[in-house]
Amino acid sequence: VGYGNETVAENIVPALTTLDPDGEEMGRRMMEAVLQRLAHERSDTPEHTLIAPHLMRRATTQHLTAE
């Protein structure tokens, strides 16, 4: 399983299953934090935010079924 969901992951054989880190959501949340700090609506205390990645299932993984 790879990380980053790069285009090459789809084009190799077998196609590599990856975790897509959802850069758009990370950017949106970061911008909100910056704007809130600039408006003094947010403290300088570090925060930890978890953004779940998306599993891009390809040929290197398979569904297991009960027999």
Side-chain angles (χ1 to χ4, degrees):
V1 175
Y3 184 81
N5 196 30
E6 301 296 328
T7 305
V8 69
E10 293 180 78
N11 297 325
I12 61 174
V13 176
L16 180 63
T17 297
T18 61
L19 291 173
D20 182 356
D22 197 353
E24 186 175 320
E25 180 65 14
M26 282 191 267
R28 186 184 69 74
R29 290 197 190 183
M30 180 59 83
M31 214 43 222
E32 285 177 1
V34 168
L35 292 173
Q36 287 173 352
R37 283 207 179 156
L38 289 173
H40 303 288
E41 296 173 2
R42 188 179 207 147
S43 73
D44 290 336
T45 305
E47 293 181 24
H48 297 277
T49 302
L50 178 63
I51 300 172
H54 302 284
L55 179 64
M56 307 304 289
R57 198 171 302 210
R58 297 191 179 96
T60 55
T61 59
Q62 63 181 356
H63 293 278
L64 298 176
T65 58
E67 294 183 33

